Structures are given as C-alpha cells and as structure tokens.
Amino acid sequence: MSNKKTPRWNRILLKLSGEAFAGEKGFGIDGKAITKIVDDIIEAREAYDVEIAIAVGGGNFWRGMTGAEGGIDRAQSDYMGMLAIVMNALALQDFFEQRGVYTRVQTAIRMPQIAEEYIRRRAIRHLEKGRIVIFAAGTGDPYFTSDNTAALRAVEIQADVLLKGTHSGVDGIYTADPKKDAGATKIDSLEYLEVINKDLRVMDQTAITHARENDLPIVVFDLMGEGNLQGLLSGESIGTIVQ
Ligand code: UDP
C-alpha cells in the first residue's frame, strides 16, 4: 500500500508554456525557473498518488507566427516552433532525471535518436508505471499550438484534468485583463461556452472546444505560486476551473 495521499484527479496533464522556462531572462532556458517547476512537480508526486503527463510549449525560443511575420512560410515556421518545443522537453527531462525521476519524452515528429515517437498506448503504460511522460513537438502539425496539443493528448490518455500553468503572475481567469484593468476580478468557475463566447483569451479556442466536446475540465492557475500544484491535488479551489 502506498502511503501517498489520494489526489482530486488520478491522472493529470500539465501544460507548461515555453515562456515559463525562460524565467526572468525572457528567452531560452533559465535553470532557476525550470528547477522551481520541476521541484514542485516532484514534491506533488511524492505527496500524492498521481500520474503526471506534461505538454510543453516553445514560445521561449520560437513561435510560428513570429517567423511568418518576418517572411518565413507559416507552415515551415510552425515546424521550427515544434523543434523549439523539443528543446524544452529535453531540458525538462534532464532536470527530472538529475533528480532521479524517470521520464519519457514522446515526440509527435519522429526523432528516434533523442526520444520515443508518440504512441498513445505506450504513453499510458509509462504513466501506469509511474513515469512522467513529456509530450513534445506539438501535435506534429502546423497551424496548431501547444494548447491544442495539451487538450488533444489529455483526452487521448484519458487524463482527468488539464492543468494549464501560467507564469506571468496572473492566477486564473479574470473578467478583464488584470494588468490593464484595475477593476478586473477573478472568476473561480466558468463554463466552456462562456470562455469561448466572451473570447477570454486564456487558452486557444480550439483547445477549449476540444475540452468541451470531451468533458475535460481545465484549470488555469499560477504555476509559480507557492504550493499551488499540491493545493490543486488536495482539492483546494485554486485558479479558475473551466468545465
Ligand atoms: N506548433 C505547431 N503545432 C503544434 C504545436 C506547436 O505548429 O501542434 C508550433 C507553433 O508555431 C507554435 C510553436 O510551435 O507557435 C510553439 O508552441 P506554442 O506557441 O504553443 O508554445 P507556448 O506558447 O506554449 O510556449
């Protein structure tokens, strides 16, 4: 019998945006920022009997749109973005494994020298064995984002929730942009359609739609807030839940 606590959700998919990896540097990978994220996840895993999958972004290195605005073909630029995601995934894997936590990176674009290819059933098996699975290279398709990837993979692996960690100090969904509007108030719970209809830009609309069609709850929360991940697993109401 494990002496770990039973979490609110048994299997979670955590979406980490690339920018969270850049920390104060604003570009690339900041060891301090990634260490904090990794430590929080490891502590949560030690306290709770939870299976963890992670979908990472790549915005700290490259976004398809940026290249497209600079004259690169959009699809080509998106593939560059997917490679940026792989860099983050490899860094994340290294930080976990330096701490003795087993992980598997699965890429949507085959690159067998450095990672497994994405195979849904194998991903689930890794989770059951207690490994952290890191999904990389997005969906493998241009014109999508890592939010789409997170929602897609979460449904595929039958995760109980998609936890979207923010890193910019905003701890959930607000009535307006709290950085621009002092009167903005935080919302604890929302329905999918409200997020879509009010165009609350917390996550890609296609990701929200996919979650809605598949009854996947999404929690938007401050990844950098002390104890937030464990608080969420314990059942505390942190951030904003969309369901
Ligand atoms: N990307 C893509 N297809 C996907 C996922 C990502 O083409 O399925 C590309 C896209 O160009 C995107 C970039 O990878 O801008 C980095 O991902 P994203 O911007 O979602 O990262 P985040 O904002 O989470 O850091």
Side-chain angles (χ1 to χ4, degrees), residues 66-172:
T66 319
E69 283 159 11
I72 303 175
D73 171 78
R74 170 69 195 271
Q76 188 83 337
S77 185
D78 278 338
Y79 280 113
M80 292 165 66
M82 288 184 256
L83 296 181
I85 294 173
V86 176
M87 291 202 275
N88 284 332
L90 293 183
L92 189 63
Q93 175 171 52
D94 185 59
F95 275 78
F96 274 120
E97 298 209 333
Q98 281 181 36
R99 287 161 182 74
V101 174
Y102 291 108
T103 61
R104 292 289 187 275
V105 173
Q106 290 202 340
T107 56
I109 297 170
R110 278 202 302 274
M111 35 187 94
Q113 283 82 356
I114 54 173
E116 285 180 9
E117 68 180 299
Y118 172 62
I119 298 174
R120 187 183 74 88
R121 292 170 64 99
R122 185 177 282 180
I124 291 171
R125 191 80 191 108
H126 288 319
L127 292 170
E128 287 167 351
K129 287 187 172 171
R131 298 172 187 140
I132 293 178
V133 179
I134 303 168
F135 295 119
T139 58
D141 295 301
Y143 301 99
F144 285 101
T145 66
S146 47
D147 279 354
N148 299 150
T149 313
L152 178 66
R153 296 287 184 252
V155 171
E156 285 184 86
I157 62 164
Q158 292 162 351
D160 301 305
V161 68
L162 192 172
L163 300 179
K164 173 163 163 100
T166 66
H167 57 279
S168 50
V170 180
D171 57 353

